[in-house]
Amino acid sequence: MGQELPEARQNLVKRVATAVFGAPKYLKDPSLFHKMSLVPVLAWVGLGADGLSSSSYGPEEAFRALGSHTYLAITLGLFTALTVFIISYAYSRIIEHFPHGGGGYIVATHMLGERAGVVSGSALLVDYVLTITVSIASCVDALFSYIPKPFHAYKVEVACALAVVLIVLNIRGVKESISVMAPIFMVFVATHVLLLLDGIFTHTDRFAPLAAGFHSGLSHDLSTIGVFGIMMLFLRAYSLGGGTYTGIEAVSNGLQIMREPRVQTGKRTMMYMASSLAFTAGLLFLCYTLIGVRPVEGKTLNSVLADALFADWPMGGVLAFVTIFSEGALLLVAAQAGFVDGPRVMSNMAVDSWLPHRFAALSVRLTMRNGIVLMGLASIVLLVYTGGSVSALVVMYSINVFLTFSLSQLGMSRFYIQRRREDPQWMRHLSVHLVGLILCAAILAVTTVEKFAEGGWLTLLITSVVIGICYLIRGHYQTVRKGMAQLDEALLDFPTSGPVNEAAPSRNDPTAIQLVSAYSGFGVHTLLSILTTFPKTYKNVVFVSVAVIDSGSFKGAEELEALERSVQEGLAKYAALARRLGFAADYRMAVATDVVESVVGICKELGEEYPRCTVFTGQLTFRLEKFYHRMLHNETAFAIQRRLQWDGITTVILPIRVSV
């Protein structure tokens, strides 16, 4: 009765988890990758929304920075649209030459070296946390534009609740979360096309006064602040509107979730995103100037614009509300890009040992749950710290975006210089990346200097801390790797003598079940420890391994098949070694994302097949146990031991000493 209660409780927890987070994915489904991948339109929703939504706050920040010199807004809109296309074209080249995703981190690592890579990766991680934070904060600002001021005190609480909702949606799966949000995206596109076209075609009579105002404003400024003053004013507004370009890199970072052929899908998605962003941002500047929009306390400029344009429409108030509500909702969709791409950057860095390896792990729903939760919690902390201030967050956001942009453009410039003998069009591609580099570096410099005291310092501090932590983690893993290499050198060619035992394992003989990963000195050391610790005790040895599906291997059916073959070959080597040592040997394997669950299931089956069995596994042991060892190295052995011993199967953990 006592055992039935815990099992009933576990079943209830599983049912609740499935209802909230979705059902586990079936790894053997031949159409799994096709079902989970995104066609260009859905990719435009999930990743392009990050870029398109920046039109909700980027143009406003730039327009406000002009102050009374609003005649420059038209030129600013043209430059903004041109910059969108330049950066987008540059990232299309990155998609073409780095088709496995990773964007700025992969480009910087491959073309500028590991140091530039970790700087770019760390900046991207902070950037994606800020993507989530600024998108949610802007969403709340837009929604609260139509809510009475007494309720504005609850903005931060609402923002945190929305962050939790997004965490849950993304743990369910990327495609599932994007499908839920697709209607919001389409409503935004429809209402904003209507808003912008109405602003232009119903105010054509204002174009002549607008041109005259540009001429008079320019003449006045030339006589007062001069050409240099106008240029600096324009550059400042252009740079502070850098938030408009945030999110352009999201498509190149998220190529892993694109439908095959990925490069074509990614480039088409980039075209959709660039065209929609350039159209929306450029025309917003024109409408701001045509209508003569001025800031109103408690409202965004876009909500002021919508109220003015739809005032004479039937049910104009409702239409204005739907327009700005869809804008706020799209900003929530844009936060999705942080949850899609942020954990993928973390997984790439984890594979390269800059971050704990557990961030490369996939959940049973094939999502990077650890990264999703960490990104979500970090965004909640920033929401609380900044009080949900969009102005402060956009400054923090833009600095890291353009740090990554600059490194990416520098890396691609070097790429084409190196390929100048192979690519006849290298000069044309190089010129685009050099122009992109100059623009991005200028925006980065101006934003950092101008806004350093207003939050820029915090971004630089957080990014520097992340970089420092990455170096500490990498140093630890390198030291452990050296110790493991010594084991490989000493034990992989372990000599044996005596006859080879070709007999099949007998059911009634004492059996050692050894849990292994790849064929290595670590596994051989564990096998020899079993023989020396329990001499002449066991007649059979059965090796058990799980082909772990992580973000590094989850790229397509071919990669999964290669992983399965590799694990099977390693198991065959272990079995051959055990037979040379005189044991009857066999092996079992599974393909899964959850090692503990899979190993426990296999061992329980083997326990029925070989009643006199003991399970053995190795665990790294350090001379001085530090608090961070558990974060950097999994506790899988102990989790398996607890589960198996509860089921009545004796499990022994053998220590493998590594000096760190």
Side-chain angles (χ1 to χ4, degrees):
M1 183 69 179
Q3 187 173 353
E4 291 176 3
L5 285 174
E7 287 182 0
R9 195 176 295 116
Q10 286 180 4
N11 291 333
L12 177 61
V13 171
K14 285 183 179 179
R15 286 198 297 272
V16 172
T18 299
V20 175
F21 299 115
K25 299 291 192 295
Y26 177 54
L27 292 171
K28 294 293 185 179
D29 183 353
S31 61
L32 176 63
F33 291 93
H34 185 79
K35 289 178 180 177
M36 293 183 63
S37 60
L38 302 179
V39 296
V41 172
L42 279 181
W44 181 35
V45 174
L47 300 175
D50 185 18
L52 184 56
S53 70
S54 61
S55 63
S56 303
Y57 51 81
E60 176 171 346
E61 291 293 323
F63 189 79
R64 287 176 182 269
L66 290 175
S68 60
H69 310 270
T70 54
Y71 70 92
L72 290 171
I74 304 300
T75 309
L76 192 56
L78 291 173
F79 268 79
T80 298
L82 179 62
T83 304
V84 168
F85 282 118
I86 290 173
I87 296 176
S88 299
Y89 178 83
Y91 270 93
S92 292
R93 301 276 71 75
I94 291 176
I95 289 172
E96 188 174 311
H97 294 289
F98 296 90
H100 294 298
Y105 169 70
I106 296 297
V107 173
T109 300
H110 282 260
M111 301 312 306
L112 302 176
E114 291 184 340
R115 293 182 179 179
V118 72
V119 171
S120 180
S122 299
L124 273 171
L125 289 182
V126 177
D127 172 31
Y128 281 124
V129 171
L130 288 165
T131 295
I132 298 168
T133 312
V134 75
S135 297
I136 293 175
S138 299
C139 165
V140 172
D141 272 4
L143 298 181
F144 274 74
S145 294
Y146 291 93
I147 293 177
K149 285 187 178 180
F151 293 98
H152 287 204
Y154 300 102
K155 279 186 176 182
V156 175
E157 288 82 355
V158 171
C160 292
L162 290 176
V164 172
V165 170
L166 285 174
I167 291 172
V168 172
L169 278 175
N170 280 276
I171 289 176
R172 288 183 68 92
V174 173
K175 189 169 184 178
E176 288 81 355
S177 59
I178 291 174
S179 299
V180 168
M181 297 176 178
I184 296 171
F185 185 86
M186 296 309 170
V187 171
F188 172 91
V189 171
T191 55
H192 281 68
V193 166
L194 186 64
L195 174 77
L196 295 172
L197 294 182
D198 176 65
I200 294 170
F201 289 109
T202 61
H203 296 81
T204 52
D205 58 320
R206 300 191 185 183
F207 279 99
L210 185 64
F214 178 85
H215 183 267
S216 61
L218 182 61
S219 300
H220 177 268
D221 282 349
L222 283 172
S223 63
T224 53
I225 61 177
V227 175
F228 183 75
I230 294 174
M231 289 176 59
M232 294 306 296
L233 174 67
F234 184 85
L235 180 60
R236 179 176 181 272
Y238 173 74
S239 299
L240 294 182
T244 307
Y245 320 111
T246 55
I248 292 177
E249 83 292 346
V251 177
S252 68
N253 286 335
L255 278 178
Q256 296 98 323
I257 62 172
M258 301 284 185
R259 179 71 54 85
E260 293 286 0
R262 286 179 184 166
V263 171
Q264 284 76 5
T265 301
K267 291 172 74 172
R268 188 176 300 173
T269 303
M270 183 68 77
M271 181 189 68
Y272 292 165
M273 188 269 296
S275 302
S276 57
L277 176 57
F279 172 84
T280 306
L283 292 187
L284 275 174
F285 281 109
L286 179 58
C287 288
Y288 288 161
T289 314
L290 280 175
I291 310 304
V293 171
R294 292 293 179 268
V296 175
E297 186 181 355
K299 283 182 171 287
T300 64
L301 283 187
N302 287 359
S303 65
V304 175
L305 178 65
D307 287 342
L309 288 175
F310 292 136
D312 299 329
W313 284 53
M315 299 182 67
V318 174
L319 185 56
F321 172 77
V322 171
T323 301
I324 301 307
F325 183 86
S326 71
E327 188 173 285
L330 182 73
L331 286 160
L332 194 63
V333 177
Q336 178 70 16
F339 283 110
V340 171
D341 284 344
R344 294 186 183 280
V345 173
M346 294 179 77
S347 71
N348 284 326
M349 295 181 72
V351 169
D352 293 339
S353 295
W354 289 113
L355 290 176
H357 291 158
R358 65 184 62 204
F359 285 112
L362 295 174
S363 73
V364 293
R365 294 159 190 88
L366 300 178
T367 59
M368 282 162 276
R369 181 179 57 200
N370 294 331
I372 290 169
V373 172
L374 183 61
M375 301 291 287
L377 292 178
S379 69
I380 290 173
V381 170
L382 277 178
L383 282 168
V384 173
Y385 175 78
T386 61
S389 169
V390 175
S391 297
L393 288 166
V394 166
V395 171
M396 296 172 66
Y397 188 16
S398 300
I399 289 175
N400 269 9
V401 167
F402 285 97
L403 174 58
T404 302
F405 279 0
S406 300
L407 288 172
S408 298
Q409 302 312 312
L410 180 61
M412 290 303 293
S413 298
R414 185 179 182 188
F415 175 81
Y416 281 109
I417 290 173
Q418 290 178 345
R419 286 173 53 90
R420 61 188 180 276
R421 292 185 178 86
E422 305 166 25
D423 189 347
Q425 296 185 329
W426 72 275
M427 182 57 76
R428 180 167 68 88
H429 296 315
L430 175 63
S431 62
V432 173
H433 289 290
L434 287 176
V435 171
L437 174 60
I438 293 168
L439 291 175
C440 293
I443 294 174
L444 173 63
V446 172
T447 306
T448 303
V449 172
E450 184 75 24
K451 295 294 185 178
F452 182 81
E454 298 178 31
W457 66 271
L458 183 59
T459 302
L460 297 175
L461 176 62
I462 293 173
T463 306
S464 299
V465 169
V466 173
I467 293 170
I469 291 172
C470 287
Y471 270 101
L472 291 174
I473 292 171
R474 182 73 173 275
H476 173 82
Y477 280 135
Q478 286 177 338
T479 304
V480 172
R481 197 172 292 122
K482 288 178 182 177
M484 301 296 286
Q486 291 173 358
L487 282 178
D488 290 346
E489 186 177 345
L491 298 175
L492 282 185
D493 295 325
F494 179 75
T496 58
S497 60
V500 177
N501 188 345
E502 298 291 354
S506 173
R507 169 182 172 82
N508 296 318
D509 285 342
T511 302
I513 300 172
Q514 183 183 340
L515 310 183
V516 297
S517 52
Y519 186 71
S520 65
F522 184 94
V524 175
H525 186 286
T526 305
L527 175 60
L528 297 178
S529 295
I530 296 172
L531 304 186
T532 55
T533 308
F534 305 95
K536 300 181 180 179
T537 302
Y538 299 101
K539 305 295 184 182
N540 306 327
V541 179
V542 179
F543 297 94
V544 174
S545 186
V546 174
V548 181
I549 308 298
D550 61 14
S551 59
S553 57
F554 190 67
K555 295 177 180 177
E558 293 181 1
E559 284 81 357
L560 290 185
E561 290 174 4
L563 174 66
E564 194 168 356
R565 281 197 306 272
S566 174
V567 172
Q568 195 162 10
E569 288 169 3
L571 284 168
K573 289 180 181 179
Y574 278 119
L577 175 60
R579 292 189 187 105
R580 293 201 306 272
L581 292 171
F583 295 93
D586 198 0
Y587 60 82
R588 300 284 191 278
M589 70 169 291
V591 180
T593 58
D594 190 327
V595 177
V596 176
E597 198 71 35
S598 299
V599 166
V600 168
I602 294 173
C603 289
K604 287 170 73 173
E605 291 176 4
L606 288 172
E608 295 177 2
E609 189 175 348
Y610 302 100
R612 300 173 63 191
C613 70
T614 304
V615 175
F616 291 91
T617 183
Q619 176 71 29
L620 286 177
T621 302
F622 303 96
R623 184 185 298 276
L624 295 174
E625 192 75 25
K626 304 291 180 58
F627 71 94
Y628 55 81
H629 285 154
R630 292 191 176 185
M631 291 187 289
L632 300 181
H633 301 280
N634 62 58
E635 299 289 296
T636 305
F638 298 107
I640 292 171
Q641 185 185 52
R642 285 192 295 270
R643 291 281 300 276
L644 290 177
Q645 292 193 160
W646 175 261
D647 292 324
I649 300 175
T650 303
T651 306
V652 178
I653 297 177
L654 298 170
I656 309 295
R657 292 180 294 179
V658 178
S659 299
V660 177

